[in-house]
Amino acid sequence: MKIELIEKIEGEAFLDVSCRQGKVRDAYVRFPHYRGIEKILVGRDPLDALVINPRVCGICGHAHLQATVRTLEKLAGFEPNEKVKKIREITRFCEMVQNHIKWFYLVVFDRLGLTYDFRTVHVMIQKINMLAAIFSGQWPHSSYALPGGVTCDPSQLEILQAKRLVQSVREHFVLLVGAFDIKNLSKDLKRLYDRLEERDLLYTGKSLDRFITFGSDSYVQSSKILHGKVRPAKLHNIREFGQEKSHAKGVTYKGKFYETGPLARTMLRGDLFVKQLHRRYKDSITTRIFARIYEVGTLLKKIDEHLRTIDISEPSYTPLEIPDGETMSAIEAARGSLIHKVCIEKGKIAEYVIITPTQWNLSNAKNGESSIIKKALIGAQCEATDIIFRSFDICSVCTTH
Amino acid sequence: MNREHLRSLFTAKSARVDTNKGEAYYKNLYERCRARLDELKKITPLRNIDIAQVLEDEGISRRDFLKWASATTAMLMLPASFTPLVAEAAELMNRVPVIWIELQDCAGNSEAFIRADGPKVDEIILEIISLEFHETLMAPAGHQAEAQLEDAVNNFKGKYLLFVEGAIPVGRGREWCTIGASGETFEEHLKKLANDAAAIVAVGTCATFGGVPAAAPNPTGAVGVMDVVNNKPIINIPACPANPANIVGVILHYVLTGQIPELDSLLRPKFAFGYRIHDNCERRAHFDAGEFVEEWGDEGAQNNFCLYKMGCKGPMTFNNCSIVRYNESVNWPIGAGHGCIGCSEPGFWDKYAYERPMADANIKMAPNGGVEKSVDQFGLGLLTAAGVGIAIHAVASAVAGKKSEGEEA
Ligand code: SF4
């Protein structure tokens, strides 16, 4: 039997699954939409990328903006000061937080037939977006970051306003999900766990147990886990390949597939809660889902820390010339590592490549190597395909760009 | 060019917005609205929700609600006497079915509209409009979704407002982008749904003018809704993303009058796009005083000076961001120290992209040329005049230096 799952996730994705005796035998992912952003960038002034790239995605526009900025800065051999770094992290972490909360409730809870406190969820999203907008002007799509710094120059008053917002979001968050204590789950975490157990999904969706993260910031450092060992991850080992019947490219690291995203980040950071889950459930949907919501707490704490330690007297901007050349850099977006690669010749963009997190997680198998999504699906109950697929928090607009 | 001339150039009320149409006109309109609302009241609501009750449950007092209604009345450029009608219309929002589809896009407008926020009351009202179908939010999965969409169309033939997010590829991208299991192209999908709609609302710059997908060389041949559909009224709400307040405004106007709001030559509602960002910008006083940010992060930047010299496109951009702002009105791009990028103007992705001042902006035409041609003549004339005027002004101010303001004037 063949089933075709069409997911509407910020765009559209097709999942072709063949089943036998209720179990998944084979799976193939296709992305039907395409805009040609990489082609659009060719021949343009490098700074144009700051307007075009955030619009790759309506959810992780900050990450695309910052990936562009960091790539251009790297070309100029420039490292921003602490203030700039903190402001950029605050806005990017806000974006990750709002994404995770939406995904947790609007996707996971919804799919598992669980109810939730819609109003509080809404208020949290609203406040976290307001917090970002204090620095970024608006969310989604903004242009406050540029090579050399940021355009905003927050006053003490704005920092105070931001602190209040993050405080309030943290309070709401704890009220909703309870504590991340594996032996003592309560509230929404407990309800989720119980539902997974009830439906016999706790151990479902195990994949290759390989993790990779390319971005480095105050939250996580670029590295990978293969066979349980942590090693540095190098950008030049990344290869993209075309996939049949899909506008998305697949991507490997030294010919192997890796999972990126919150599960990878929390594993690499060694967050106890996630490690404990992993010990028991490996990289199943349980660990994957819990890791993402766990990350919200850590990121909120980071935002708060940054707001308390930021030195607003430092300059927001340092003048910068962008030279010709070629380089690549990565940044952590909500769904995992986002990689931008640019080649500038005679002051114009000669080539621009965007590799998104979903490409890592949803590559189809190649050359006998099983891929993350394929491994997660094969052998699973056919009814579970939807939740396994969704556990990766897919974004198709990013992926096809 | 002297200062007075400049001032008149930028303070001249845009001739296109007629905010006072005379007593007789409003009296007539009032009566029509009254009749319309009475008609709507007779219809059984699509979703049986008592909006007054919901607002109360959400902790919004009657007083707050009326405050919102009066602000919205003003936004819609109606006299204050319409406030009770606007409030009533808001309570009848669940009588008008809405279908929302996504084509070639980034989902940013849905994000801004439904999942992010808007001013508080807007957002609650949006939650209870009768969103019969939303491709990203509601569709459970492919085949089921298609059946659901078909149902919605059949049930509300000729009555629903069709919201479209995203561009339509009509060039080489036509075959690349298809919908659902049927494999329909975006163009077919849109045309089919447009046929049975009461009106179409194109949300965001992609759906209105092609947007970023249409940026040169426009790899997929992306165009806006008005380049594809010609048998239905179309309302364009450009901007990237479109402001939720303007989306609510359009729906509300439709509920209230049964008609689409007054539009400009680019089919944008005049209530939102009648003025330029520059007309109501909080940094405008600095523009008039010749105080500019000369470099990112300089003293001017720290003092919130005008961003024109850093490439602000506020003087060429028609939109109400400077009044409505974003994210609970907490801020907006110029508030964060970056000039307006003109994201609601046709062709911004090529014409304005990044901080090039207008004078040496390299205007690339989209290959199909369609969008450029439809630029409002008035706007274009003004834009050129403003471009020249400002360039001179900016240069003069740099020469004269900020201190010598007095003599310069
Ligand atoms: S910042 Fe832009 S919109 Fe505001 S006054 Fe200056 S030029 Fe006009």
Side-chain angles (χ1 to χ4, degrees):
Chain A
M1 189 191 73
K2 253 191 175 275
I3 53 171
E4 185 184 45
L5 201 67
I6 304 164
E7 290 290 350
K8 284 303 232 170
I9 357 104
E10 335 298 358
E12 217 172 51
F14 287 77
L15 176 61
D16 302 329
V17 183
S18 56
C19 284
R20 189 184 289 164
Q21 289 161 345
K23 295 256 163 70
V24 176
R25 298 246 316 162
D26 200 6
Y28 193 82
V29 189
R30 290 180 288 132
F31 288 95
H33 300 172
Y34 174 73
R35 285 169 294 164
I37 303 282
E38 288 168 351
K39 289 210 180 87
I40 285 169
L41 287 165
V42 171
R44 284 175 186 263
D45 190 297
L47 293 182
D48 279 12
L50 301 180
V51 170
I52 305 283
N53 290 353
R55 290 171 169 80
V56 164
C57 181
I59 328 292
C60 58
H62 279 337
H64 277 283
L65 175 67
Q66 294 191 18
T68 313
V69 166
R70 280 302 298 145
T71 310
L72 296 177
E73 282 177 349
K74 199 169 160 189
L75 207 53
F78 175 84
E79 270 296 312
N81 64 28
E82 279 303 301
K83 171 181 166 184
V84 169
K85 274 190 189 157
K86 280 178 183 160
I87 290 180
R88 289 181 188 169
E89 284 190 7
I90 291 169
T91 52
R92 188 160 49 85
F93 291 170
C94 285
E95 184 172 83
M96 290 159 83
V97 167
Q98 61 84 24
N99 174 76
H100 292 355
I101 296 173
K102 283 176 187 170
W103 169 87
F104 190 65
Y105 288 108
L106 276 71
V107 176
V108 176
F109 268 52
D110 193 63
R111 293 295 157 115
L112 292 171
L114 289 164
T115 54
Y116 57 90
D117 177 355
F118 185 82
R119 191 69 210 148
T120 308
V121 168
H122 216 89
V123 167
M124 282 165 67
I125 294 171
Q126 190 180 73
K127 291 200 166 161
I128 205 72
N129 286 337
M130 280 168 77
L131 202 173
I134 289 177
F135 302 96
S136 67
Q138 73 185 65
W139 187 93
H141 296 330
S142 29
S143 20
Y144 63 101
L146 72 172
V150 290
T151 60
C152 60
D153 215 329
S155 64
Q156 215 44 270
L157 204 68
E158 283 158 328
I159 300 287
L160 198 70
Q161 193 186 2
K163 275 188 197 156
R164 285 214 194 99
L165 285 167
V166 75
Q167 194 50 39
S168 147
V169 176
R170 288 180 80 180
E171 282 160 16
H172 285 309
F173 185 62
V174 174
L175 284 179
L176 280 186
V177 303
F180 288 94
D181 175 352
I182 199 119
K183 295 211 184 68
N184 237 328
L185 292 179
S186 62
K187 307 198 189 241
D188 284 354
L189 294 182
K190 172 95 169 94
R191 291 171 59 224
L192 173 66
Y193 182 90
D194 290 348
R195 179 55 54 95
L196 290 172
E197 189 170 37
E198 231 171 84
R199 300 217 174 152
D200 200 14
L201 290 170
L202 283 171
Y203 295 90
T204 219
K206 283 186 200 163
S207 188
L208 298 167
D209 214 21
R210 284 182 209 144
F211 308 105
I212 205 156
T213 290
F214 292 98
S216 284
D217 51 32
S218 71
Y219 172 60
V220 71
Q221 290 299 313
S222 160
S223 40
K224 68 177 168 72
I225 300 183
L226 178 64
H227 307 309
K229 287 201 188 66
V230 181
R231 291 265 180 287
K234 302 252 163 54
L235 287 166
H236 63 251
N237 292 325
I238 298 173
R239 295 283 175 279
E240 272 195 303
F241 61 92
Q243 304 187 107
E244 241 176 78
K245 294 189 284 183
S246 177
H247 290 301
K249 288 190 175 138
V251 62
T252 57
Y253 183 89
K254 284 197 181 166
K256 282 188 166 23
F257 295 97
Y258 283 83
E259 173 165 357
T260 183
L263 176 56
R265 290 192 287 252
T266 45
M267 287 298 290
L268 286 161
R269 279 169 49 87
D271 285 323
L272 190 64
F273 177 76
V274 178
K275 288 222 128 167
Q276 284 171 332
L277 282 171
H278 183 262
R279 204 165 300 141
R280 185 121 169 236
Y281 305 107
K282 291 288 171 249
D283 53 344
S284 68
I285 60 167
T286 308
T287 322
R288 197 171 293 120
I289 293 173
F290 276 95
R292 190 176 299 266
I293 197 70
Y294 176 80
E295 196 174 66
V296 171
T298 322
L299 291 173
L300 287 172
K301 211 164 126 199
K302 279 269 161 214
I303 295 171
D304 194 50
E305 251 170 54
H306 284 355
L307 287 169
R308 274 189 283 111
T309 53
I310 193 166
D311 175 2
I312 53 170
S313 67
E314 279 186 82
S316 287
Y317 175 78
T318 316
L320 201 66
E321 284 290 325
I322 297 164
D324 281 4
E326 197 178 330
T327 194
M328 193 170 182
S329 84
I331 203 150
E332 286 308 301
R335 293 161 166 115
S337 301
L338 170 64
I339 295 145
H340 280 208
K341 186 177 161 199
V342 72
C343 174
I344 298 176
E345 280 166 14
K346 297 201 190 97
K348 300 275 179 234
I349 297 174
E351 195 194 6
Y352 207 107
V353 179
I354 298 172
I355 303 172
T356 65
T358 305
Q359 282 179 258
W360 286 98
N361 294 337
L362 293 199
S363 285
N364 290 304
K366 192 195 171 214
N367 299 342
E369 283 279 334
S370 194
S371 70
I372 295 295
I373 183 69
K374 187 163 177 180
K375 178 80 177 155
L377 284 168
I378 295 218
Q381 297 291 339
C382 285
E383 305 82 68
T385 40
D386 176 55
I387 191 76
I388 296 174
F389 196 49
R390 285 290 192 152
S391 73
F392 289 98
D393 188 14
I394 316 146
C395 178
S396 73
V397 287
C398 265
T399 303
T400 49
H401 42 270
Chain B
M1 191 153 309
N2 68 27
R3 161 119 342 159
E4 273 323 299
H5 178 79
L6 268 170
R7 204 161 274 157
S8 67
L9 190 62
F10 285 101
T11 44
K13 288 259 181 297
S14 159
R16 302 182 307 161
V17 200
D18 189 1
T19 47
N20 189 355
K21 298 198 172 78
E23 216 166 298
Y25 173 86
Y26 289 114
K27 194 156 166 273
N28 181 299
L29 182 66
Y30 192 96
E31 275 156 21
R32 273 194 292 133
C33 293
R34 187 64 269 158
R36 157 95 177 160
L37 293 179
D38 291 338
E39 271 313 302
L40 281 180
K41 267 193 208 153
K42 285 187 211 141
I43 309 176
T44 343
L46 304 166
R47 283 178 212 288
N48 207 357
I49 305 169
D50 180 352
I51 296 186
Q53 188 60 46
V54 174
L55 288 169
E56 201 186 302
D57 292 348
E58 298 292 349
I60 291 172
S61 67
R62 194 68 199 163
R63 203 167 149 261
D64 287 342
F65 176 59
L66 289 177
K67 249 201 230 158
W68 171 86
S70 84
T72 306
T73 310
M75 184 182 95
L76 291 172
M77 294 185 175
L78 293 169
S81 59
F82 277 68
T83 306
L85 290 188
V86 168
E88 227 177 285
E91 293 177 339
L92 292 171
M93 289 266 265
N94 57 350
R95 299 321 203 257
V96 174
V98 168
I99 291 179
W100 184 297
I101 58 169
E102 271 186 64
L103 304 173
Q104 201 181 17
D105 73 336
C106 69
N109 293 296
S110 294
E111 286 296 323
F113 166 51
I114 293 161
R115 296 199 208 160
D117 44 47
K120 209 163 180 196
V121 181
D122 285 343
E123 157 209 322
I124 294 167
I125 286 178
L126 284 173
E127 272 161 28
I128 41 192
I129 59 166
S130 162
L131 199 56
E132 287 309 309
F133 184 85
H134 186 295
E135 286 192 328
T136 291
L137 286 185
M138 308 178 71
H143 297 279
Q144 221 176 324
E146 257 161 64
Q148 235 185 43
L149 177 57
E150 215 165 283
D151 273 359
V153 171
N154 287 333
N155 287 343
F156 306 108
K157 247 192 175 89
K159 297 207 186 87
Y160 59 86
L161 290 178
L162 177 64
F163 278 73
V164 182
E165 190 184 346
I168 304 100
V170 297
R172 295 212 308 136
R174 190 194 301 263
E175 273 74 47
W176 298 341
C177 298
T178 54
I179 289 270
S182 65
E184 263 179 334
T185 65
F186 282 175
E187 191 183 358
E188 288 160 354
H189 190 60
L190 171 63
K191 280 189 167 153
K192 188 178 79 186
L193 293 172
N195 273 337
D196 292 318
I200 304 167
V201 187
V203 178
T205 306
C206 292
T208 49
F209 309 128
V212 163
N218 196 345
T220 57
V223 297
V225 172
M226 63 183 177
D227 299 310
V228 170
V229 177
N230 47 23
N231 58 346
K232 288 287 157 168
I234 297 173
I235 306 159
N236 282 333
I237 311 181
C240 189
N243 201 318
N246 295 335
I247 302 174
V248 179
V250 166
I251 306 181
L252 204 56
H253 191 282
Y254 182 73
V255 173
L256 184 62
T257 63
Q259 283 163 356
I260 59 175
E262 202 183 339
L263 306 176
D264 69 6
S265 64
L266 287 173
L267 308 181
R268 303 178 290 197
K270 283 189 181 178
F271 72 78
F273 297 91
Y275 297 100
R276 291 161 300 159
I277 300 286
H278 186 73
D279 296 330
N280 297 297
C281 177
E282 63 203 22
R283 301 195 176 198
R284 177 55 187 273
H286 294 296
F287 175 87
D288 291 342
E291 295 170 331
F292 297 103
V293 175
E294 308 276 346
E295 185 180 70
W296 297 118
D298 69 2
E299 215 190 308
Q302 281 159 20
N303 288 309
N304 300 344
F305 281 2
C306 169
L307 292 158
Y308 177 71
K309 287 193 182 174
M310 301 311 292
C312 179
K313 306 302 181 298
M316 301 88 182
T317 304
F318 289 87
N319 205 340
N320 57 357
C321 321
S322 37
I323 308 169
V324 181
R325 300 160 60 106
Y326 277 89
N327 301 94
E328 292 275 299
S329 306
V330 74
N331 210 346
W332 66 304
I334 289 180
H338 192 284
C340 164
I341 63 168
C343 73
S344 56
E345 288 297 308
F348 87 87
W349 50 87
D350 287 335
K351 271 200 310 218
Y352 297 162
Y354 225 51
E355 56 215 34
R356 300 175 213 141
M358 272 313 286
D360 47 273
N362 178 18
I363 302 184
K364 282 194 226 167
M365 296 273 272
N368 52 38
V371 169
E372 282 292 333
K373 261 179 263 153
S374 62
V375 171
D376 185 307
Q377 284 312 305
F378 180 88
L380 197 65
L382 180 76
L383 186 149
T384 328
V388 175
I390 296 177
I392 294 170
H393 179 48
V395 170
S397 78
V399 174
K402 285 175 219 149
K403 292 271 137 49
S404 53
E405 273 314 311
E407 302 127 49
E408 201 201 346

